[in-house]
């Protein structure tokens, strides 16, 4: 019964992938037809091409970037910014989250400031960071950190609060000191919450990097888009968007792999093997 | 003053009143003026109706819960903070879910800074003793309820505590596994005569295992309402001992006392409720 349902799922999943591809193809075909004077009037085609670019030109631009290797330098910069922002933002969020969750006085003191800083639209800090850290990689990392920090911070805070009191008491009865409690109970519990928000925080680090580049940089995919926009080169803008999207999807897949590795201890539903 | 050296654990006039927070504005006295002494090497079972305050009493003995009044003495010394001489097997799941069965068993030794090689060897021994040598790498969610209980037992016993506090350790097990574990526990206990406080719902289990059975009244303000010395010979086999005439006699005796007292306690709460209304 369950096995047959699983097989059914696998069939539909294969079919779903086919539908996904067909849908994407259809979008490109419609896009192509609307921007070429085959079915529509020349004037209409020209207008849509101005606003949306031409799919074949967009794909050609993407192809050029990879074929000439020109894109790698920019991708690498964006990736470095994303990873640095993610790493430092997570470490900072973990440290501050643990500290505030375990120290009621500090938490009471910091509470209104944390709330205010979280409520603030932090993207607005990008120009300030540009002034402070220049147009290099640092200002983008700083922006990413402010975005990642709060996600991790709130998850760590929650994770510490949600530690089962029985598990905690058990560790204490087994003789855990304060540092050992932190290492064996609080951090693992907090990390499980952090990992469950991994997708969001990596996404946010990426947003920080791209927005930072877009607001002023000399390298990075966001910079490429900004440059093309300045020249009204809509095709290159769309090519940049395509590359960014593919990149984000790849990043997300990598996170999923990492997540499955790190959370083996967590119960998942239906871990049965079909015969 | 009675001989303090022979007393492993002494609860003296313990009262526990929980504060009113989130309980309809009324405080609740779970345990009322309870005095209990466990001799060194003695196996004492505590039975009582559900919700009467057994776990609360054990938390006090473990030093996890400060009593509202009264004092606790462990091996003759007054208890301050956690009870370092006791191992506690909790009623609820208390294994660390992010550690494998093996790592859970090793945990206490690691906390004490025992050398890695020795930790590994002793954990392996214990995993074998609880019949989980092949399942050491599994995480708690991949273990059955009974397996989890066995891991919890090993986790506690690997530290070789002088006093064992066990809160309904076997109530989740099927009757066969349960008797197996009971015999195992008795064997372990008779090897080095730890002092045991064993909480259970099951009067038969209590009699089969213990030197003494303490019956608690129904809540609120639970207190011991009967103590019965179990003079069955040791070593015992929990399965066979249930069939002996003396066992049946003790069972009937305690059962009657329990019923009378529980009914009395029940009438008391009814009266208190009526007065309150
Ligand atoms: N933190 C708490 N705050 C308020 N009341 C509590 C608290 N902990 C326990 N109680 C109450 O104290 C009483 C005794 O609880 P306890 O857990 O000791 O019962 P128990 O005898 O172990 O029951 P069971 O056999 O079902 O495990 C219960 O009525 C419970 O509602
Ligand atoms: Mg209980």
């Amino acid at each position: 019964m369950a096995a047959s349902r699983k097989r059914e799922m696998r069939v539909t999943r294969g079919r779903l992938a086919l539908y996904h591809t067909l849908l994407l193809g259809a979008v490109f075909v419609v896009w192509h037809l609307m921007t070429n004077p085959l079915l529509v009037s020349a004037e209409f085609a020209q207008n849509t091409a101005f606003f949306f670019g031409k799919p074949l030109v967009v794909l050609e631009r993407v192809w050029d970037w990879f074929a000439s290797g020109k894109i790698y330098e920019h991708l690498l910069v964006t990736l470095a910014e994303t990873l640095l922002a993610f790493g430092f933002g997570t470490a900072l969020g973990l440290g501050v989250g643990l500290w505030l969750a375990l120290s009621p006085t500090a938490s009471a003191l910091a509470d209104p400031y944390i709330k205010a800083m979280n409520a603030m639209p932090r993207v607005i800090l990008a120009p300030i960071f540009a002034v402070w850290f220049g147009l290099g990689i640092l200002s983008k990392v700083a922006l990413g950190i402010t975005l990642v920090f709060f996600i991790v911070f709130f998850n760590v805070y929650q994770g510490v609060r949600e530690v089962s009191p029985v598990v905690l008491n058990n560790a204490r009865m087994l003789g855990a000191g304060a540092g050992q409690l932190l290492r064996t109970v609080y951090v693992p519990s907090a990390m499980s919450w952090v990992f469950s928000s991994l997708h969001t925080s990596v996404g946010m680090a990426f947003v920080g990097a791209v927005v930072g580049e877009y607001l002023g940089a000399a390298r990075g995919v966001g910079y490429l888009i900004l440059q093309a926009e300045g020249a009204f080169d809509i095709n290159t803008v769309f090519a940049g968007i395509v590359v960014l999207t593919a990149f984000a999807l790849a990043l997300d897949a990598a996170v999923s792999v990492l997540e499955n590795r790190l959370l083996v201890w967590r119960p998942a539903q239906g871990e049965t093997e079909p015969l | 003053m009675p001989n303090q050296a022979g007393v492993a654990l002494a609860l003296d006039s313990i009262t526990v009143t929980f504060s009113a927070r989130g309980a309809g504005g009324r405080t609740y006295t779970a345990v009322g003026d309870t005095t209990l002494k466990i001799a060194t090497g003695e196996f004492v079972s505590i039975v009582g109706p559900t919700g009467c305050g057994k776990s609360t009493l054990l938390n006090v003995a473990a030093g996890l819960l400060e009593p509202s009044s009264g004092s606790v003495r462990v091996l003759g010394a007054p208890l301050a903070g956690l009870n370092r001489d006791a191992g506690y097997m909790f009623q609820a799941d208390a294994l660390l879910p992010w550690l494998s069965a093996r790592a859970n068993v090793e945990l206490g030794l690691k906390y004490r800074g025992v050398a890695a090689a020795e930790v590994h060897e002793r954990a392996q021994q214990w995993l074998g003793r609880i019949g989980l040598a092949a399942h050491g790498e599994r995480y708690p969610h991949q273990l059955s309820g009974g397996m989890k209980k066995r891991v919890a037992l090993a986790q506690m016993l690997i530290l070789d505590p002088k006093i064992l506090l066990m809160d309904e350790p076997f109530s989740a097990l099927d009757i066969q596994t349960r008797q197996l574990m009971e015999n195992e526990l008795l064997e372990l206990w008779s090897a080095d005569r730890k002092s045991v406080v064993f909480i259970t719902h099951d009067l038969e289990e209590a009699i089969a295992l213990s030197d003494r059975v303490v019956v608690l009244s129904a809540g609120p303000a639970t207190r011991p309402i009967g103590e019965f010395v179990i003079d069955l010979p040791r070593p015992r086999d929990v399965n066979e001992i249930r069939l002996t005439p003396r066992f049946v006699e003790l069972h009937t005796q305690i059962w009657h006392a329990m019923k009378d007292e529980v009914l009395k306690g029940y009438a008391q709460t009814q009266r208190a409720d009526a007065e309150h209304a």
Side-chain angles (χ1 to χ4, degrees):
Chain A
M1 194 41 204
S4 82
R5 194 179 316 144
K6 209 158 205 178
R7 206 164 304 134
E8 226 168 80
M9 280 284 288
R10 204 163 294 161
V11 173
T12 41
R13 202 179 299 160
R15 204 168 275 183
L16 209 57
L18 178 69
Y19 290 154
H20 284 157
T21 321
L22 285 179
L23 191 61
L24 188 66
V27 168
F28 269 89
V29 168
V30 170
W31 187 7
H32 180 74
L33 289 178
M34 288 296 137
T35 52
N36 276 287
L38 291 164
L39 292 178
V40 295
S41 73
E43 193 194 349
F44 182 82
Q46 206 169 12
N47 271 333
T48 43
F50 178 77
F51 286 113
F52 296 101
K54 292 187 167 198
L56 288 180
V57 184
V58 168
L59 290 180
E60 195 192 314
R61 196 68 36 99
V62 173
W63 176 256
D64 272 356
W65 275 344
F66 282 95
S68 69
K70 185 187 164 215
I71 190 78
Y72 292 119
E73 174 198 4
H74 299 283
L75 266 182
L76 214 64
V77 167
T78 306
L79 178 66
E81 288 161 356
T82 304
L83 292 184
L84 284 174
F86 171 70
F88 283 110
T90 303
L92 213 62
L94 191 64
V96 177
L98 282 173
W99 178 44
L100 290 191
L102 294 175
S103 151
T105 332
S107 147
L109 191 67
D111 187 56
Y113 300 100
I114 296 276
K115 280 208 181 104
M117 285 197 304
N118 185 45
M120 176 174 65
R122 270 161 280 129
V123 175
I124 215 68
L125 293 173
I128 301 178
F129 287 145
V131 172
W132 288 355
F133 303 115
L135 293 183
I137 189 167
L138 269 186
S139 55
K140 285 84 196 166
V141 173
L143 181 63
I145 288 176
T146 61
L147 297 178
V148 171
F149 171 81
F150 285 93
I151 301 169
V152 175
F153 170 80
F154 284 115
N155 275 290
V156 167
Y157 200 76
Q158 189 76 4
V160 171
R161 287 293 161 94
E162 302 268 308
V163 166
S164 145
V166 184
V167 170
L168 196 62
N169 281 338
N170 189 25
R172 291 175 64 205
M173 286 306 289
L174 291 172
Q180 289 167 327
L181 272 188
L182 193 68
R183 257 187 303 119
T184 55
V185 180
Y186 287 118
V187 170
S189 174
M191 283 319 275
S192 79
W193 281 75
V194 172
F195 289 142
S196 67
S197 65
L198 219 54
H199 291 278
T200 330
S201 42
V202 169
M204 275 301 178
F206 188 57
V207 167
V210 173
V211 168
E213 286 165 1
Y214 185 75
L215 291 178
R219 272 184 302 176
V221 182
Y223 161 74
L224 281 185
I225 294 179
L226 176 66
Q227 221 184 13
E229 229 174 37
F232 288 100
D233 182 358
I234 198 76
N235 288 313
T236 306
V237 172
F238 270 90
I241 292 174
V242 168
V243 170
L244 279 182
T245 308
F247 186 70
L249 284 177
L251 216 55
D252 205 56
V255 168
S256 294
V257 172
L258 191 71
E259 198 178 22
N260 287 337
R261 277 278 173 79
L262 292 171
L263 289 180
V264 274
W265 60 268
R266 266 235 289 238
Q269 288 171 340
E271 287 175 303
T272 57
E273 282 289 325
L275 288 175
Chain B
M1 203 160 182
N3 177 18
Q4 287 288 333
V7 179
L9 182 68
L11 304 177
D12 191 26
S13 338
I14 298 291
T15 300
V16 179
T17 303
F18 288 110
S19 60
R21 194 157 45 93
R26 256 194 275 165
T27 60
Y28 182 81
T29 301
V31 178
D33 198 25
T34 292
T35 298
L36 202 61
K37 279 197 173 59
I38 317 297
T40 309
E42 192 183 21
F43 197 126
V44 176
S45 285
I46 297 180
V47 293
T50 175
C52 73
K54 302 184 293 294
S55 300
T56 305
L57 206 57
L58 217 55
N59 283 335
V60 170
L64 288 169
L65 190 67
E66 186 93 14
S68 307
S69 70
S71 67
V72 182
R73 294 179 79 82
V74 180
L75 304 170
L79 178 65
L82 287 187
N83 188 342
R84 292 275 163 221
D85 295 299
Y88 193 160
M89 195 168 157
F90 291 82
Q91 181 173 12
D93 271 349
L95 296 177
L96 280 63
W98 39 82
L99 296 182
S100 65
R102 176 189 305 283
N104 262 292
V105 172
E106 289 175 345
L107 197 59
L109 293 179
K110 285 206 174 136
Y111 284 154
R112 278 164 179 68
V114 177
E118 193 192 334
V119 170
H120 187 83
E121 191 192 316
R122 279 167 70 182
Q124 191 57 36
Q125 269 172 17
W126 271 104
L127 283 172
R129 213 177 286 183
I130 57 172
L132 289 178
H135 301 308
E137 313 317 317
R138 289 205 198 173
Y139 288 92
H141 82 269
Q142 296 166 321
L143 298 171
S144 76
M147 288 170 170
K148 276 187 263 197
K149 285 289 174 197
R150 280 183 272 166
V151 174
L153 189 68
Q155 187 182 49
M156 169 180 76
L157 290 176
I158 198 169
L159 293 175
D160 201 22
K162 293 195 183 77
I163 301 169
L164 304 185
L165 307 173
M166 305 177 78
D167 197 349
E168 302 189 26
F170 305 142
S171 57
L173 305 182
D174 66 276
I175 192 78
Q176 286 86 358
T177 317
R178 186 169 176 166
Q179 291 183 352
L180 231 68
M181 302 261 320
E182 287 167 1
N183 277 332
E184 182 79 7
L185 178 65
L186 275 187
E187 205 170 301
L188 285 168
W189 172 78
S190 60
D192 56 358
R193 291 280 167 149
K194 298 174 184 309
S195 314
V196 183
V197 184
F198 189 96
I199 287 178
T200 175
H201 275 134
D202 182 348
L203 185 54
E204 284 194 26
E205 184 178 43
I207 298 171
L209 294 175
S210 318
D211 296 319
R212 192 151 54 100
V213 174
V214 176
V215 180
L216 294 184
S217 70
T222 299
R223 67 203 181 287
I225 50 172
E227 279 196 27
F228 301 85
V229 172
I230 310 299
D231 50 6
L232 297 168
R234 291 191 189 268
R236 300 176 191 164
D237 179 295
V238 290
N239 197 19
E240 287 164 14
I241 200 103
R242 281 167 218 247
L243 307 172
T244 61
R246 181 61 187 147
F247 182 97
V248 178
E249 199 178 318
L250 280 165
H251 188 275
T252 322
Q253 190 188 343
I254 301 175
W255 179 241
H256 273 293
M258 244 174 109
K259 208 172 64 179
D260 289 353
E261 292 292 339
V262 168
L263 282 178
K264 230 186 277 174
Y266 183 69
Q268 226 165 24
T269 37
Q270 293 262 299
R271 237 188 345 266
D273 277 356
E275 273 164 27
H276 201 90

